[in-house]
């Protein structure tokens, strides 16, 4: 099944934000030891939704949009950015691993983004469960959100990376972009190539059963800190984030209470206490 036909994006006039070069990206990233398919569309609602709707998409299919008009975050939150200022990229996987290991994929994806930013000279870390934060020294803040959506036989791994957003274009004050953070390269083709190569390495290591959590713990900005987890029933849990379990759950130790393990679906917001 081919990706859905999309209307042409308006003619681009910002020379700092050219369209992605689909043919060159395919030549660099599609192959036996890389990705099986790579499609670039001018605009769409959600790359995750498009890939999930494509029941015949092969393992390793990649869909990237120059502009995503209805991007989704965790718990249905919306995500938008000016055309060609960010990377909206989704990858479809058909893992052979047991279902109880699939919840590690958001963590694996976050590590791939950190690998990418490190190669671009940007210091970053991971906020559980699905955010990548620039840690400084220039313009710290959230630079990427990750959303993994599973079906019985497949999972789509989506990432939205802020590339060239300017300060006056950021949706919230706590956001940033790799350009504002001083990245050595700000061309989206370059960032996408680095990210997809890093993701391929990380996913292959996860599929081979290699340990994931040691690297995640080292990159975590949540572990060891006082946190406040807002729960769906309106209550909150406060304590120290002490560990991440083998299934990706966050372990919180309240003062004087028993440890509690939280899945991403159990938490509306996680913030410093």
């Amino acid at each position: 099944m081919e990706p859905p036909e999309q209307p042409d994006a308006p003619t681009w006039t910002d020379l700092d934000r050219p369209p992605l070069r689909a043919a060159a990206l395919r030549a660099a990233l599609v192959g036996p030891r890389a990705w099986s398919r790579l499609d670039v569309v001018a605009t769409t609602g959600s790359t995750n939704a498009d890939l999930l709707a494509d029941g015949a998409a092969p393992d390793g299919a990649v869909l990237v949009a120059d502009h995503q008009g209805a991007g989704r975050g965790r718990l249905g939150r919306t995500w938008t950015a000016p055309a060609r200022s960010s990377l909206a990229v989704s990858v479809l996987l058909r893992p052979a691993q047991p279902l109880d290991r699939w919840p590690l994929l958001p963590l694996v994806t976050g590590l791939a983004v950190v690998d990418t930013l490190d190669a671009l000279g940007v210091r970053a870390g991971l906020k559980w469960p699905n955010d990548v934060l620039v840690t400084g020294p220039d313009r710290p803040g959230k630079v990427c959100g990750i959303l993994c959506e599973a079906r019985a036989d497949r999972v789509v791994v989506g990432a939205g990376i802020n590339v060239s957003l300017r300060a006056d274009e950021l949706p919230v004050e706590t956001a940033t972009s790799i350009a504002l953070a001083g990245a050595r390269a700000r061309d989206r083709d370059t960032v996408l190539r680095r990210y997809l190569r890093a993701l391929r390495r990380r996913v292959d290591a996860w599929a081979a059963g290699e340990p994931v959590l040691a690297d995640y713990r080292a990159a975590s900005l949540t572990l060891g800190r006082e946190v406040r987890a807002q729960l769906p029933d309106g209550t909150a849990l406060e304590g120290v984030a002490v560990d991440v379990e083998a299934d990706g759950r966050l372990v919180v130790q309240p003062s004087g209470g028993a440890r509690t393990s939280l899945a991403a679906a159990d938490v509306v917001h996680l913030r410093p206490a």
Side-chain angles (χ1 to χ4, degrees):
M1 176 177 174
E2 294 296 321
E5 295 249 346
Q6 305 295 340
D8 292 336
T11 301
W12 60 280
T13 57
D14 189 336
L15 297 182
D16 291 331
R17 292 173 174 170
L20 291 164
R21 304 166 184 86
L25 289 167
R26 287 191 196 97
L29 295 166
V30 174
R33 301 182 65 183
W35 301 101
S36 62
R37 189 181 86 188
L38 188 149
D39 295 298
V40 177
V41 295
T43 183
T44 191
S46 163
T47 53
N48 263 30
D50 291 348
L51 269 186
L52 280 173
D54 185 356
D59 176 72
V62 179
L63 180 63
V64 194
D66 268 327
H67 181 244
Q68 185 172 241
R72 294 172 293 124
R74 203 171 62 87
L75 302 179
R77 299 178 184 121
T78 58
W79 178 83
T80 60
R84 300 174 301 281
S85 66
S86 301
L87 282 173
V89 52
S90 298
V91 174
L92 185 138
L93 303 172
R94 297 183 181 274
Q97 288 65 37
L99 285 173
D100 61 3
R101 297 196 68 232
W102 291 22
L104 288 176
L105 282 170
L107 282 61
V108 169
T109 306
L111 287 169
V113 177
V114 170
D115 294 343
T116 302
L117 298 185
D118 181 66
L120 298 173
V122 175
R123 288 209 319 259
L126 299 171
K127 175 179 176 265
W128 187 91
N130 67 331
D131 290 343
V132 183
L133 307 184
V134 169
T135 56
D138 298 320
R139 186 70 199 208
K142 178 178 173 178
V143 74
C144 173
I146 294 161
L147 179 64
C148 294
E149 298 181 272
R151 297 294 183 265
D153 60 341
R154 63 196 187 279
V155 59
V156 170
V157 176
I161 305 173
N162 294 338
V163 178
S164 68
L165 272 80
R166 301 160 188 131
D168 61 351
E169 295 174 327
L170 296 171
V172 293
E173 290 187 0
T174 53
T176 191
S177 67
I178 69 168
L180 292 171
R184 287 192 291 261
R186 304 170 188 189
D187 173 71
R188 288 186 308 139
D189 288 65
T190 299
V191 179
L192 182 61
R193 291 184 194 203
R194 287 193 176 276
Y195 167 65
L196 286 175
R197 286 168 178 156
L199 184 63
R200 182 77 273 173
R201 289 192 298 271
R202 287 289 185 177
V203 168
D204 287 349
W206 168 82
E210 295 182 19
V212 170
L213 292 181
D215 285 353
Y216 184 84
R217 293 180 181 114
S220 175
L221 301 174
T222 301
L223 295 180
R225 300 192 177 189
E226 290 273 353
V227 297
R228 175 183 174 88
Q230 182 183 337
L231 306 180
D233 63 1
T235 63
L237 173 70
E238 291 191 7
V240 178
V242 294
D243 201 6
V244 174
E245 296 180 334
D247 60 359
R249 290 174 179 261
L250 181 70
V251 181
V252 176
Q253 174 69 69
S255 177
R259 290 188 174 194
T260 301
S261 296
L262 299 172
D266 298 331
V267 178
V268 178
H269 291 289
L270 185 81
R271 296 190 172 102

